[in-house]
Amino acid sequence: MTFEPMVEPVFHHDSYGYRPHKSALDAVDAARKRCWQMDWVIDLDIRDFFGSIDHELMLKAVKRHTNPKLLLITMPPREF
């Protein structure tokens, strides 16, 4: 409840994942409408994105848009 109002304004309007008042069906609807407007499509799957993101880089981005004293993000160490 504290974090969301700080970062919501910086998200792209076409970002649908885990956003208030936006669902997977909204994303599908937007993609469906654009299929009739464009002649090409890019389809991609970011496998294990959250498991492989650079933790320090993520913290840097979070600190830029929030008050870091209010928020602590922890991630378990990766096993290779």
PDB file of all heavy atoms in Angstrom, residues 51-75:
ATOM      1  N   GLY A  51      13.658 -14.173 -11.356  1.00  0.00           N
ATOM      2  CA  GLY A  51      14.677 -14.988 -10.714  1.00  0.00           C
ATOM      3  C   GLY A  51      16.083 -14.649 -11.160  1.00  0.00           C
ATOM      4  O   GLY A  51      17.055 -15.006 -10.510  1.00  0.00           O
ATOM      5  N   SER A  52      16.212 -13.940 -12.285  1.00  0.00           N
ATOM      6  CA  SER A  52      17.539 -13.662 -12.810  1.00  0.00           C
ATOM      7  C   SER A  52      17.884 -12.175 -12.854  1.00  0.00           C
ATOM      8  O   SER A  52      18.982 -11.816 -13.264  1.00  0.00           O
ATOM      9  CB  SER A  52      17.664 -14.247 -14.228  1.00  0.00           C
ATOM     10  OG  SER A  52      16.705 -13.638 -15.077  1.00  0.00           O
ATOM     11  N   ILE A  53      16.978 -11.312 -12.413  1.00  0.00           N
ATOM     12  CA  ILE A  53      17.247  -9.872 -12.449  1.00  0.00           C
ATOM     13  C   ILE A  53      18.398  -9.525 -11.496  1.00  0.00           C
ATOM     14  O   ILE A  53      18.549 -10.139 -10.437  1.00  0.00           O
ATOM     15  CB  ILE A  53      15.978  -9.069 -12.105  1.00  0.00           C
ATOM     16  CG1 ILE A  53      16.182  -7.595 -12.407  1.00  0.00           C
ATOM     17  CG2 ILE A  53      15.583  -9.275 -10.658  1.00  0.00           C
ATOM     18  CD1 ILE A  53      14.908  -6.788 -12.379  1.00  0.00           C
ATOM     19  N   ASP A  54      19.205  -8.573 -11.877  1.00  0.00           N
ATOM     20  CA  ASP A  54      20.307  -8.096 -11.046  1.00  0.00           C
ATOM     21  C   ASP A  54      19.715  -7.387  -9.829  1.00  0.00           C
ATOM     22  O   ASP A  54      19.101  -6.331  -9.950  1.00  0.00           O
ATOM     23  CB  ASP A  54      21.184  -7.151 -11.864  1.00  0.00           C
ATOM     24  CG  ASP A  54      22.384  -6.631 -11.100  1.00  0.00           C
ATOM     25  OD1 ASP A  54      22.251  -6.291  -9.902  1.00  0.00           O
ATOM     26  OD2 ASP A  54      23.459  -6.521 -11.710  1.00  0.00           O
ATOM     27  N   HIS A  55      19.897  -7.961  -8.660  1.00  0.00           N
ATOM     28  CA  HIS A  55      19.287  -7.438  -7.432  1.00  0.00           C
ATOM     29  C   HIS A  55      19.753  -6.012  -7.135  1.00  0.00           C
ATOM     30  O   HIS A  55      18.955  -5.153  -6.754  1.00  0.00           O
ATOM     31  CB  HIS A  55      19.614  -8.369  -6.267  1.00  0.00           C
ATOM     32  CG  HIS A  55      18.910  -8.014  -4.992  1.00  0.00           C
ATOM     33  ND1 HIS A  55      17.546  -8.117  -4.844  1.00  0.00           N
ATOM     34  CD2 HIS A  55      19.381  -7.538  -3.813  1.00  0.00           C
ATOM     35  CE1 HIS A  55      17.209  -7.728  -3.623  1.00  0.00           C
ATOM     36  NE2 HIS A  55      18.302  -7.377  -2.989  1.00  0.00           N
ATOM     37  N   GLU A  56      21.032  -5.735  -7.300  1.00  0.00           N
ATOM     38  CA  GLU A  56      21.559  -4.387  -7.030  1.00  0.00           C
ATOM     39  C   GLU A  56      20.958  -3.360  -7.983  1.00  0.00           C
ATOM     40  O   GLU A  56      20.630  -2.245  -7.585  1.00  0.00           O
ATOM     41  CB  GLU A  56      23.086  -4.379  -7.122  1.00  0.00           C
ATOM     42  CG  GLU A  56      23.765  -5.184  -6.023  1.00  0.00           C
ATOM     43  CD  GLU A  56      23.404  -4.699  -4.620  1.00  0.00           C
ATOM     44  OE1 GLU A  56      23.360  -3.472  -4.388  1.00  0.00           O
ATOM     45  OE2 GLU A  56      23.149  -5.561  -3.760  1.00  0.00           O
ATOM     46  N   LEU A  57      20.808  -3.736  -9.241  1.00  0.00           N
ATOM     47  CA  LEU A  57      20.206  -2.831 -10.224  1.00  0.00           C
ATOM     48  C   LEU A  57      18.736  -2.571  -9.881  1.00  0.00           C
ATOM     49  O   LEU A  57      18.257  -1.436  -9.970  1.00  0.00           O
ATOM     50  CB  LEU A  57      20.329  -3.418 -11.622  1.00  0.00           C
ATOM     51  CG  LEU A  57      19.869  -2.556 -12.784  1.00  0.00           C
ATOM     52  CD1 LEU A  57      20.649  -1.247 -12.830  1.00  0.00           C
ATOM     53  CD2 LEU A  57      20.022  -3.309 -14.085  1.00  0.00           C
ATOM     54  N   MET A  58      18.025  -3.611  -9.455  1.00  0.00           N
ATOM     55  CA  MET A  58      16.630  -3.442  -9.068  1.00  0.00           C
ATOM     56  C   MET A  58      16.515  -2.510  -7.863  1.00  0.00           C
ATOM     57  O   MET A  58      15.669  -1.612  -7.821  1.00  0.00           O
ATOM     58  CB  MET A  58      15.986  -4.786  -8.751  1.00  0.00           C
ATOM     59  CG  MET A  58      14.527  -4.651  -8.364  1.00  0.00           C
ATOM     60  SD  MET A  58      13.748  -6.203  -7.882  1.00  0.00           S
ATOM     61  CE  MET A  58      14.649  -6.580  -6.392  1.00  0.00           C
ATOM     62  N   LEU A  59      17.372  -2.692  -6.864  1.00  0.00           N
ATOM     63  CA  LEU A  59      17.348  -1.817  -5.685  1.00  0.00           C
ATOM     64  C   LEU A  59      17.643  -0.371  -6.061  1.00  0.00           C
ATOM     65  O   LEU A  59      17.041   0.561  -5.518  1.00  0.00           O
ATOM     66  CB  LEU A  59      18.342  -2.308  -4.640  1.00  0.00           C
ATOM     67  CG  LEU A  59      17.927  -3.540  -3.863  1.00  0.00           C
ATOM     68  CD1 LEU A  59      19.043  -3.968  -2.917  1.00  0.00           C
ATOM     69  CD2 LEU A  59      16.656  -3.291  -3.087  1.00  0.00           C
ATOM     70  N   LYS A  60      18.539  -0.169  -6.990  1.00  0.00           N
ATOM     71  CA  LYS A  60      18.862   1.184  -7.452  1.00  0.00           C
ATOM     72  C   LYS A  60      17.624   1.844  -8.070  1.00  0.00           C
ATOM     73  O   LYS A  60      17.329   3.015  -7.804  1.00  0.00           O
ATOM     74  CB  LYS A  60      20.006   1.119  -8.473  1.00  0.00           C
ATOM     75  CG  LYS A  60      20.517   2.447  -8.919  1.00  0.00           C
ATOM     76  CD  LYS A  60      21.705   2.251  -9.869  1.00  0.00           C
ATOM     77  CE  LYS A  60      22.203   3.575 -10.379  1.00  0.00           C
ATOM     78  NZ  LYS A  60      23.324   3.406 -11.316  1.00  0.00           N
ATOM     79  N   ALA A  61      16.890   1.095  -8.884  1.00  0.00           N
ATOM     80  CA  ALA A  61      15.674   1.628  -9.498  1.00  0.00           C
ATOM     81  C   ALA A  61      14.607   1.911  -8.446  1.00  0.00           C
ATOM     82  O   ALA A  61      13.928   2.943  -8.486  1.00  0.00           O
ATOM     83  CB  ALA A  61      15.136   0.654 -10.547  1.00  0.00           C
ATOM     84  N   VAL A  62      14.454   1.007  -7.487  1.00  0.00           N
ATOM     85  CA  VAL A  62      13.465   1.205  -6.420  1.00  0.00           C
ATOM     86  C   VAL A  62      13.810   2.448  -5.610  1.00  0.00           C
ATOM     87  O   VAL A  62      12.944   3.284  -5.327  1.00  0.00           O
ATOM     88  CB  VAL A  62      13.382  -0.046  -5.516  1.00  0.00           C
ATOM     89  CG1 VAL A  62      12.594   0.248  -4.251  1.00  0.00           C
ATOM     90  CG2 VAL A  62      12.757  -1.201  -6.279  1.00  0.00           C
ATOM     91  N   LYS A  63      15.064   2.612  -5.255  1.00  0.00           N
ATOM     92  CA  LYS A  63      15.484   3.778  -4.466  1.00  0.00           C
ATOM     93  C   LYS A  63      15.272   5.085  -5.213  1.00  0.00           C
ATOM     94  O   LYS A  63      15.002   6.117  -4.612  1.00  0.00           O
ATOM     95  CB  LYS A  63      16.950   3.630  -4.071  1.00  0.00           C
ATOM     96  CG  LYS A  63      17.174   2.585  -3.001  1.00  0.00           C
ATOM     97  CD  LYS A  63      18.654   2.409  -2.707  1.00  0.00           C
ATOM     98  CE  LYS A  63      18.877   1.309  -1.695  1.00  0.00           C
ATOM     99  NZ  LYS A  63      20.304   1.083  -1.434  1.00  0.00           N
ATOM    100  N   ARG A  64      15.368   5.041  -6.521  1.00  0.00           N
ATOM    101  CA  ARG A  64      15.183   6.262  -7.318  1.00  0.00           C
ATOM    102  C   ARG A  64      13.737   6.770  -7.247  1.00  0.00           C
ATOM    103  O   ARG A  64      13.493   7.961  -7.315  1.00  0.00           O
ATOM    104  CB  ARG A  64      15.560   6.002  -8.773  1.00  0.00           C
ATOM    105  CG  ARG A  64      15.382   7.221  -9.638  1.00  0.00           C
ATOM    106  CD  ARG A  64      15.983   7.034 -11.000  1.00  0.00           C
ATOM    107  NE  ARG A  64      15.817   8.267 -11.749  1.00  0.00           N
ATOM    108  CZ  ARG A  64      15.379   8.331 -12.973  1.00  0.00           C
ATOM    109  NH1 ARG A  64      15.084   7.230 -13.622  1.00  0.00           N
ATOM    110  NH2 ARG A  64      15.251   9.478 -13.595  1.00  0.00           N
ATOM    111  N   HIS A  65      12.793   5.867  -7.115  1.00  0.00           N
ATOM    112  CA  HIS A  65      11.378   6.234  -7.177  1.00  0.00           C
ATOM    113  C   HIS A  65      10.645   6.136  -5.840  1.00  0.00           C
ATOM    114  O   HIS A  65       9.437   6.334  -5.798  1.00  0.00           O
ATOM    115  CB  HIS A  65      10.659   5.366  -8.209  1.00  0.00           C
ATOM    116  CG  HIS A  65      11.165   5.577  -9.590  1.00  0.00           C
ATOM    117  ND1 HIS A  65      10.898   6.710 -10.319  1.00  0.00           N
ATOM    118  CD2 HIS A  65      11.953   4.808 -10.377  1.00  0.00           C
ATOM    119  CE1 HIS A  65      11.481   6.623 -11.483  1.00  0.00           C
ATOM    120  NE2 HIS A  65      12.125   5.482 -11.554  1.00  0.00           N
ATOM    121  N   THR A  66      11.356   5.817  -4.770  1.00  0.00           N
ATOM    122  CA  THR A  66      10.698   5.647  -3.474  1.00  0.00           C
ATOM    123  C   THR A  66      11.543   6.248  -2.366  1.00  0.00           C
ATOM    124  O   THR A  66      12.656   6.706  -2.590  1.00  0.00           O
ATOM    125  CB  THR A  66      10.494   4.158  -3.140  1.00  0.00           C
ATOM    126  OG1 THR A  66      11.766   3.549  -2.977  1.00  0.00           O
ATOM    127  CG2 THR A  66       9.689   3.444  -4.187  1.00  0.00           C
ATOM    128  N   ASN A  67      11.015   6.178  -1.173  1.00  0.00           N
ATOM    129  CA  ASN A  67      11.775   6.513   0.016  1.00  0.00           C
ATOM    130  C   ASN A  67      12.317   5.193   0.553  1.00  0.00           C
ATOM    131  O   ASN A  67      11.568   4.414   1.144  1.00  0.00           O
ATOM    132  CB  ASN A  67      10.861   7.186   1.040  1.00  0.00           C
ATOM    133  CG  ASN A  67      11.590   7.520   2.319  1.00  0.00           C
ATOM    134  OD1 ASN A  67      12.698   7.064   2.564  1.00  0.00           O
ATOM    135  ND2 ASN A  67      10.950   8.310   3.146  1.00  0.00           N
ATOM    136  N   PRO A  68      13.606   4.917   0.362  1.00  0.00           N
ATOM    137  CA  PRO A  68      14.136   3.607   0.726  1.00  0.00           C
ATOM    138  C   PRO A  68      14.008   3.277   2.214  1.00  0.00           C
ATOM    139  O   PRO A  68      14.080   2.128   2.601  1.00  0.00           O
ATOM    140  CB  PRO A  68      15.595   3.657   0.296  1.00  0.00           C
ATOM    141  CG  PRO A  68      15.902   5.070   0.030  1.00  0.00           C
ATOM    142  CD  PRO A  68      14.611   5.793  -0.209  1.00  0.00           C
ATOM    143  N   LYS A  69      13.789   4.273   3.075  1.00  0.00           N
ATOM    144  CA  LYS A  69      13.616   3.989   4.496  1.00  0.00           C
ATOM    145  C   LYS A  69      12.292   3.267   4.763  1.00  0.00           C
ATOM    146  O   LYS A  69      12.126   2.615   5.771  1.00  0.00           O
ATOM    147  CB  LYS A  69      13.660   5.285   5.301  1.00  0.00           C
ATOM    148  CG  LYS A  69      15.015   5.946   5.287  1.00  0.00           C
ATOM    149  CD  LYS A  69      14.988   7.245   6.051  1.00  0.00           C
ATOM    150  CE  LYS A  69      16.330   7.937   5.947  1.00  0.00           C
ATOM    151  NZ  LYS A  69      16.319   9.247   6.588  1.00  0.00           N
ATOM    152  N   LEU A  70      11.346   3.394   3.841  1.00  0.00           N
ATOM    153  CA  LEU A  70      10.041   2.768   4.011  1.00  0.00           C
ATOM    154  C   LEU A  70       9.974   1.363   3.437  1.00  0.00           C
ATOM    155  O   LEU A  70       9.001   0.660   3.641  1.00  0.00           O
ATOM    156  CB  LEU A  70       8.955   3.613   3.326  1.00  0.00           C
ATOM    157  CG  LEU A  70       8.761   5.027   3.841  1.00  0.00           C
ATOM    158  CD1 LEU A  70       7.737   5.759   2.982  1.00  0.00           C
ATOM    159  CD2 LEU A  70       8.322   5.002   5.287  1.00  0.00           C
ATOM    160  N   LEU A  71      11.009   0.966   2.695  1.00  0.00           N
ATOM    161  CA  LEU A  71      10.907  -0.264   1.919  1.00  0.00           C
ATOM    162  C   LEU A  71      12.201  -1.054   1.952  1.00  0.00           C
ATOM    163  O   LEU A  71      13.279  -0.512   1.798  1.00  0.00           O
ATOM    164  CB  LEU A  71      10.579   0.113   0.473  1.00  0.00           C
ATOM    165  CG  LEU A  71      10.322  -0.996  -0.502  1.00  0.00           C
ATOM    166  CD1 LEU A  71       9.035  -1.718  -0.136  1.00  0.00           C
ATOM    167  CD2 LEU A  71      10.187  -0.418  -1.893  1.00  0.00           C
ATOM    168  N   LEU A  72      12.085  -2.338   2.161  1.00  0.00           N
ATOM    169  CA  LEU A  72      13.238  -3.226   2.095  1.00  0.00           C
ATOM    170  C   LEU A  72      12.849  -4.421   1.242  1.00  0.00           C
ATOM    171  O   LEU A  72      11.860  -5.098   1.512  1.00  0.00           O
ATOM    172  CB  LEU A  72      13.647  -3.695   3.498  1.00  0.00           C
ATOM    173  CG  LEU A  72      14.754  -4.739   3.550  1.00  0.00           C
ATOM    174  CD1 LEU A  72      16.053  -4.148   2.989  1.00  0.00           C
ATOM    175  CD2 LEU A  72      14.964  -5.219   4.968  1.00  0.00           C
ATOM    176  N   ILE A  73      13.606  -4.662   0.187  1.00  0.00           N
ATOM    177  CA  ILE A  73      13.339  -5.789  -0.697  1.00  0.00           C
ATOM    178  C   ILE A  73      14.440  -6.811  -0.489  1.00  0.00           C
ATOM    179  O   ILE A  73      15.613  -6.496  -0.594  1.00  0.00           O
ATOM    180  CB  ILE A  73      13.301  -5.344  -2.168  1.00  0.00           C
ATOM    181  CG1 ILE A  73      12.160  -4.376  -2.394  1.00  0.00           C
ATOM    182  CG2 ILE A  73      13.186  -6.554  -3.090  1.00  0.00           C
ATOM    183  CD1 ILE A  73      12.117  -3.797  -3.769  1.00  0.00           C
ATOM    184  N   THR A  74      14.046  -8.030  -0.195  1.00  0.00           N
ATOM    185  CA  THR A  74      15.042  -9.089  -0.022  1.00  0.00           C
ATOM    186  C   THR A  74      14.760 -10.201  -1.012  1.00  0.00           C
ATOM    187  O   THR A  74      13.624 -10.451  -1.382  1.00  0.00           O
ATOM    188  CB  THR A  74      15.004  -9.649   1.412  1.00  0.00           C
ATOM    189  OG1 THR A  74      13.721 -10.193   1.661  1.00  0.00           O
ATOM    190  CG2 THR A  74      15.323  -8.578   2.430  1.00  0.00           C
ATOM    191  N   MET A  75      15.812 -10.820  -1.458  1.00  0.00           N
ATOM    192  CA  MET A  75      15.697 -11.951  -2.362  1.00  0.00           C
ATOM    193  C   MET A  75      16.612 -13.052  -1.836  1.00  0.00           C
ATOM    194  O   MET A  75      17.706 -12.761  -1.362  1.00  0.00           O
ATOM    195  CB  MET A  75      16.132 -11.551  -3.779  1.00  0.00           C
ATOM    196  CG  MET A  75      15.198 -10.559  -4.432  1.00  0.00           C
ATOM    197  SD  MET A  75      15.762 -10.060  -6.073  1.00  0.00           S
ATOM    198  CE  MET A  75      15.506 -11.551  -7.000  1.00  0.00           C
TER     199      MET A  75
END
